[in-house]
């Protein structure tokens, strides 16, 4: 009964007409408010949005919002983080109580088409995989025929898992849990042979294991989970600003611009594209209604993509997730910024 | 002769006498028949095994001090997580130098409840008036600040155990008078007042709290112009009061119905009107009867406060869950949930013990 009420509520929320705003209104509202409202997780998204010992927000998505605040308001600290449970995240964005969601939301056709939402790009290419005990000896997902597999109930992960085994003509037993820690405990205690989730989540779970070295994430990636900043569909100008904030962060890695050297590069880089991006030549800030040096402020706040990733998810963090698809296009990954021209 | 010496020696050492009494009690109660011996030793063995498993994990090998997960041992509890984040778990994001204000509010509450429930406090009426009408405003002003030189601490900074308690206290204290009015209304002879009370109680009692909170988060913003901001804490407190006053009203109605009809009739016979009957005769007796029901509701409410995470509020359960997702303390769910479990159990057990002693006292008062 409870779930029926919740479903009805969610439908009512999704069906209600979203707040229509005119072009550019979002930025105007943010500037008038003096604060960016950034929807994040309720502190449970390891590496993306969590709370530190002092109660400050940290994580890759958190830092992306800080970079966006630096872009729009010139100050990375002018962000108000709105903690949102997944169930209320999209409707909260639609109602205008958040300007942007940076909340590990997968970009998919049906969400983009029917929820009046837009994704302004992808800051993390995640995908579903398996984690197994090293001593199981499995080398790939194909070795898991007949295995029992832990997965979160009612998620797309559960559906992807079924697709994967059906398309490979293999059998498996599903053991559903309700949370990531529950699945992790089940795997650790041997209730299941493998745990299937997004690889980012698997890496976090592996860190949480008693002995992380006993566990291995198999190389298979059998779903696409592109995570990116989620916006309302009504403001193309705001979408451009968010998309180019992300592009600046990616391009900065390509050009070797870092948090530490961005001021120096802005003053003395001889690369014409860097000069345009950092505002030394041309009027690229004005075209988007931004300050001339907005890219400098973004990079000074977040660093380039490589720094952002390694600090929160990669080698500089306890999670130690390899870059994989989240490498630059020139290094075999998918990260690619259109040119600054 | 020897017997006399023996018995006098026993009398001289009361410790031995006590030991004997205990042995006799054990023989009679624990080891009387073979089946008793079997049951007693099985349960004792199970208890020892349980302690054997828990004590080394929780105490002997446990780590109490550390800056992050690296300081912990994989096979033992890591209380350093709780110690390190204790301030956050208790006060949320409330700024450190201002935390005395939170303590002050709860101290004032505790003292006034103590005075109100002690039997021989003079001027109880003043205390009750203070608690129900002045305290909610005073507490809010103290916590929120922005006046009288207190710095402003916006409600999104409130969290942790103090938020849990705040929601519980606000839920009960504010709902209390509303519920009395509703309970009187439900039994009133004025049809409009009665229907309105019945409608309110039946509607609010029929809704799950989680649905009320979802509506507040998802639907409310659509009813107001774009950009209007809602204070999530105000929404949470309003939702809890809506819900709790309906529940309490039914508890109070049960209390009113438990009072013999003769009481009201006797009051009418000596010329008391409706209000005087209620204030001097039925209400005091009703309040005495409903203590267990109110405490029962308070216990349920304290546990229900964990749902406010839907509004993005971090009460004690969710701030601990968030802590265990921080890469620095990743995976310490067991420690976190043991801590939260102990906190909730402690709160609820204290309330239940208190209500029992209160009932005993009230019974004694009734007899005298």
């Amino acid at each position: 009964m409870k779930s029926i009420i919740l479903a009805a509520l969610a439908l009512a929320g999704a069906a209600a007409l979203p707040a229509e705003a005119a072009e550019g209104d979002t930025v105007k509202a943010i500037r008038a408010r003096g604060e960016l409202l950034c929807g994040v997780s309720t502190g449970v998204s390891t590496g993306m949005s969590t709370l530190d010992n002092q109660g400050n927000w940290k994580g890759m998505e958190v830092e992306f919002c800080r970079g966006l605040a630096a872009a729009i308001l010139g100050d990375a600290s002018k962000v108000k983080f709105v903690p949102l449970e997944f169930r209320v995240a999209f409707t909260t964005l639609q109602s205008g109580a958040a300007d942007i969601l940076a909340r590990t939301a997968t970009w998919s056709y049906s969400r983009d088409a029917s929820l009046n939402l837009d994704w302004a790009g992808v800051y993390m290419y995640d995908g579903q995989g398996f984690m197994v005990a090293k001593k199981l000896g499995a080398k790939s997902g194909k070795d898991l025929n007949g295995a029992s597999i832990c997965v979160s109930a009612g998620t797309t992960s559960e559906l992807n898992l079924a697709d994967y085994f059906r398309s490979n003509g293999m059998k498996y037993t599903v053991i559903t849990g309700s949370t990531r820690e529950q699945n992790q405990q089940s795997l650790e205690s041997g209730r299941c042979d493998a745990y299937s989730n997004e690889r980012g989540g698997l890496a976090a779970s592996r860190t949480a294991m008693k002995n992380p070295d006993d566990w291995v994430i198999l190389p298979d990636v059998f779903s696409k989970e592109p995570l990116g900043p989620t916006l309302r569909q009504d403001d193309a100008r705001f979408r451009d600003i968010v998309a180019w904030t992300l592009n600046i962060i990616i391009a900065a890695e390509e050009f070797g611009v870092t948090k530490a050297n961005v001021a120096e590069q802005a003053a003395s880089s001889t690369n014409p594209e860097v000069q345009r991006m950092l505002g030394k030549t041309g009027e690229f800030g004005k075209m988007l209604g931004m300050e001339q040096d907005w890219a400098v402020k973004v990079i000074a706040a977040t660093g380039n993509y490589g720094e952002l990733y390694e600090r929160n998810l990669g080698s500089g963090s306890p999670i130690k997730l390899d870059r994989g698809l989240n490498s630059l296009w020139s290094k075999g990954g998918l990260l690619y910024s259109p040119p600054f021209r | 002769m020897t017997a006399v010496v023996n018995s006098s020696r026993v009398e001289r050492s009361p410790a031995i006498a006590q030991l004997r009494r205990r042995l006799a009690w054990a023989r009679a109660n624990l080891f009387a028949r073979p089946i008793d011996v079997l049951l007693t030793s099985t349960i004792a063995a199970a208890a020892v095994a349980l302690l054997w498993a828990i004590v080394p994990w929780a105490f002997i090998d446990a780590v109490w001090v550390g800056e992050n997960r690296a300081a912990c041992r994989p096979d033992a509890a890591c209380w350093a997580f709780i110690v390190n984040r204790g301030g956050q778990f208790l006060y949320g994001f409330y700024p450190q130098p201002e935390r005395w204000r939170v303590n002050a509010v709860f101290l004032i509450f505790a003292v006034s409840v103590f005075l109100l429930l002690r039997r021989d406090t003079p001027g109880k009426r003043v205390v009750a008036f203070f608690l129900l009408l002045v305290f909610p405003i005073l507490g809010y002003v103290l916590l929120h600040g922005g006046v009288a030189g207190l710095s402003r601490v916006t409600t999104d900074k409130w969290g942790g155990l103090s938020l849990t308690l705040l929601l519980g206290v606000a839920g009960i204290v504010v709902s209390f008078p509303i519920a009395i009015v509703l309970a009187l209304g439900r039994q009133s002879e004025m049809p409009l007042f009665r229907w309105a009370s019945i409608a309110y109680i039946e509607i609010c009692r029929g809704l799950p709290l989680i649905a009320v909170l979802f509506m507040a988060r998802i639907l409310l913003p659509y009813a107001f112009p774009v950009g209007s901001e809602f204070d999530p804490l105000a929404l949470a407190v309003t939702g809890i009061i809506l819900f709790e006053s309906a529940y309490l009203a039914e508890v109070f109605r049960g209390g009113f119905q438990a009072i013999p009809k003769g009481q009201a009739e006797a009051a009418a016979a000596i010329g008391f009107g409706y209000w005087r009957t209620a204030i001097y005769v039925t209400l005091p007796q009703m309040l005495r009867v409903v203590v267990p029901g109110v405490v029962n509701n308070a216990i349920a409410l304290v546990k229900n406060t964990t749902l406010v995470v839907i509004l993005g509020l971090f009460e004690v359960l969710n701030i601990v869950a968030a802590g265990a997702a921080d890469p620095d303390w990743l995976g310490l769910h067991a420690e976190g949930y043991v801590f939260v479990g102990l906190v909730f159990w402690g709160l609820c057990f204290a309330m239940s013990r208190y209500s029992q002693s209160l009932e005993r006292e009230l019974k004694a008062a009734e007899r005298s």
Side-chain angles (χ1 to χ4, degrees):
Chain A
M1 186 59 207
K2 204 179 258 183
S3 61
I4 294 173
I5 293 173
L6 292 184
L9 274 175
L11 271 181
L17 276 177
E20 282 294 336
E23 198 95 318
D25 271 5
T26 315
V27 175
K28 244 182 255 163
I30 294 167
R31 291 207 172 119
R33 202 191 296 126
E35 219 172 30
L36 173 74
L37 298 177
C38 173
V40 292
S41 79
T42 53
V44 295
S45 202
T46 306
M48 299 304 248
S49 53
T50 53
L51 295 162
D52 70 8
N53 287 347
Q54 282 72 46
N56 302 313
W57 285 97
K58 68 176 182 186
M60 188 158 113
E61 291 183 319
V62 164
E63 290 200 40
F64 181 77
C65 275
R66 294 214 173 101
L68 189 61
I72 297 171
L73 298 164
D75 184 345
S77 68
K78 289 191 173 155
V79 191
K80 183 170 179 191
F81 292 100
V82 183
L84 296 171
E85 276 212 315
F86 187 71
R87 297 178 280 186
V88 300
F90 290 141
T91 38
T92 305
L93 176 64
Q94 286 161 344
S95 73
D99 299 314
I100 175 175
L101 285 188
R103 210 213 160 285
T104 51
T106 303
W107 185 2
S108 73
Y109 181 95
S110 57
R111 282 178 179 173
D112 203 342
S114 61
L115 289 180
N116 248 310
L117 299 174
D118 255 348
W119 269 259
V122 176
Y123 45 54
M124 163 106 176
Y125 290 92
D126 208 347
Q128 196 171 340
F130 296 107
M131 177 159 67
V132 297
K134 238 176 213 165
K135 61 175 191 283
L136 192 71
K139 291 282 167 283
S140 88
K142 304 279 193 309
D143 298 335
L144 292 176
N145 197 5
S148 57
I149 303 198
C150 280
V151 68
S152 291
T155 57
T156 48
S157 308
E158 196 180 354
L159 305 175
N160 292 335
L161 186 67
D163 286 353
Y164 177 81
F165 275 83
R166 200 181 311 126
S167 61
N168 284 302
M170 304 194 301
K171 283 194 168 49
Y172 72 109
T173 315
V174 66
I175 295 175
T176 54
S178 59
T179 59
R180 197 175 74 196
E181 58 262 35
Q182 198 184 337
N183 283 319
Q184 178 221 319
Q185 300 277 346
S186 296
L187 179 63
E188 193 160 33
S189 64
R191 279 195 63 214
C192 46
D193 302 317
Y195 168 27
S196 184
N197 193 5
E198 277 96 61
R199 288 160 59 89
L202 287 181
S205 296
R206 184 177 58 183
T207 312
M209 290 286 195
K210 285 197 182 100
N211 195 349
D213 294 338
D214 289 350
W215 305 91
V216 54
I217 297 171
L218 298 179
D220 313 62
V221 182
F222 59 91
S223 78
K224 290 180 187 165
E225 307 284 348
L227 310 175
T230 317
L231 314 167
R232 284 184 295 279
Q233 201 162 279
D234 54 20
D235 194 338
R237 172 48 63 93
F238 184 52
R239 190 197 146 132
D240 284 348
I241 291 169
V242 177
W244 281 98
T245 303
L246 179 56
N247 287 336
I248 286 167
I249 294 170
I250 293 170
E253 183 178 11
E254 201 174 327
F255 299 138
V257 179
T258 63
K259 196 172 183 165
N261 75 10
V262 62
E264 182 204 322
Q265 291 265 5
S268 60
S269 173
T270 52
N271 180 334
E273 200 170 353
V274 174
Q275 288 180 342
R276 284 193 292 270
M277 179 173 88
L278 299 181
K280 193 167 183 219
T281 55
E283 294 203 317
F284 280 68
K286 205 195 235 171
M287 291 181 205
L288 265 182
M290 309 296 276
E291 300 286 322
Q292 181 67 8
D293 65 342
W294 72 293
V296 179
K297 286 184 177 141
V298 171
I299 299 166
T302 63
N304 65 39
Y305 187 90
E307 295 176 276
L308 188 62
Y309 186 96
E310 298 297 355
R311 189 163 59 234
N312 292 298
L313 293 165
S315 53
S317 80
I319 303 168
K320 313 239 179 290
L321 185 64
D322 57 32
R323 293 268 308 256
L325 292 175
N326 300 294
S327 306
L328 291 176
W329 61 283
S330 51
K331 291 179 182 161
L334 293 174
L335 299 180
Y336 183 96
S337 163
F340 287 81
R341 177 162 292 283
Chain B
M1 190 62 199
T2 42
V4 172
V5 170
N6 271 349
S7 76
S8 68
R9 191 190 296 148
V10 168
E11 270 160 31
R12 253 184 275 123
S13 51
I16 292 179
Q18 200 184 13
L19 187 69
R20 272 207 186 157
R21 269 202 304 281
R22 283 197 183 154
L23 279 177
W25 178 88
R27 204 175 296 138
N29 292 290
L30 300 177
F31 300 105
R33 293 166 299 162
I35 183 82
D36 293 340
V37 175
L38 188 69
L39 282 176
T40 302
S41 45
T42 312
I43 292 170
V48 168
L50 200 63
L51 284 179
W52 197 259
I54 291 174
V55 169
W57 179 81
F59 300 104
I60 299 174
D61 299 331
V63 177
W64 295 86
V65 188
E67 274 309 301
N68 55 43
R69 193 171 176 265
C72 304
R73 295 174 47 166
D75 55 343
C78 186
W79 302 119
F81 169 49
I82 310 290
V83 172
N84 221 299
R85 290 213 171 201
Q88 197 183 101
F89 293 166
L90 292 181
Y91 299 98
F93 317 114
Y94 213 87
Q96 201 118 27
E98 306 292 329
R99 285 180 181 168
W100 63 269
R101 282 152 60 175
V102 182
N103 296 340
V105 167
F106 286 107
L107 189 70
I108 295 172
F109 175 73
V111 168
S112 42
V113 167
F114 174 77
L115 287 177
L116 189 65
L117 296 173
R118 216 169 56 126
R119 274 178 68 195
D120 40 0
T121 305
K124 267 196 190 183
R125 233 177 269 172
V126 180
V127 180
F129 175 79
F130 170 80
L131 192 63
L132 291 179
L133 297 173
V134 181
F135 174 72
I137 300 163
L138 177 75
Y140 177 78
V141 168
L142 249 178
L143 288 174
H144 188 264
V147 287
L150 293 171
S151 62
R152 187 188 294 275
V153 181
T154 47
T155 54
D156 58 316
K157 297 266 187 292
W158 306 9
L161 182 61
S162 55
L163 180 67
T164 300
L165 291 174
L166 181 90
L167 290 170
V169 169
I172 292 290
V173 170
V174 182
S175 301
F176 210 89
I178 301 175
I180 289 179
V181 172
L182 285 171
L184 287 172
R186 193 161 188 166
Q187 297 180 306
S188 163
E189 281 161 11
M190 288 182 280
L192 261 185
F193 189 27
R194 187 173 68 241
W195 292 336
S197 302
I198 291 175
Y200 177 90
I201 291 171
E202 293 303 335
I203 290 172
C204 290
R205 205 167 52 131
L207 288 173
L209 179 60
I210 192 170
V212 174
L213 296 176
F214 265 112
M215 276 196 277
R217 172 97 255 181
I218 295 174
L219 293 181
L220 204 60
Y222 285 110
F224 291 85
V226 184
S228 26
E229 279 187 55
F230 296 90
D231 188 326
L233 184 69
L235 290 180
V237 171
T238 313
I240 285 174
I241 289 170
L242 279 178
F243 176 83
E244 191 61 21
S245 52
Y247 269 86
L248 274 184
E250 285 299 278
V251 172
F252 292 162
R253 184 170 68 106
F256 278 124
Q257 283 171 348
I259 302 167
K261 264 221 167 82
Q263 295 282 332
E265 286 166 2
I270 56 168
F272 272 27
Y274 177 81
W275 288 110
R276 286 174 85 192
T277 311
I279 291 168
Y280 293 106
V281 181
T282 49
L283 259 180
Q285 297 191 61
M286 179 279 282
L287 290 175
R288 189 176 293 175
V289 179
V290 297
V291 169
V294 171
V295 171
N296 199 23
N297 266 24
I299 287 176
L301 175 64
V302 165
K303 289 185 285 190
N304 260 341
T305 56
T306 53
L307 296 175
V308 298
V309 69
I310 291 164
L311 294 167
L313 296 171
F314 288 96
E315 43 59 60
V316 66
L317 173 66
N318 285 291
I319 207 162
V320 171
D326 176 0
D328 283 345
W329 299 105
L330 196 58
L332 299 178
H333 296 102
E335 289 82 351
Y337 289 133
V338 165
F339 169 74
V340 174
L342 286 175
V343 164
F344 273 103
W345 181 81
L347 277 178
C348 296
F349 186 67
M351 276 194 272
S352 129
R353 297 301 299 181
Y354 189 77
S355 106
Q356 281 172 20
S357 75
L358 193 64
E359 279 169 54
R360 271 198 299 278
E361 221 169 278
L362 289 173
K363 263 201 196 112
E366 214 165 317
R367 275 199 300 272
S368 62

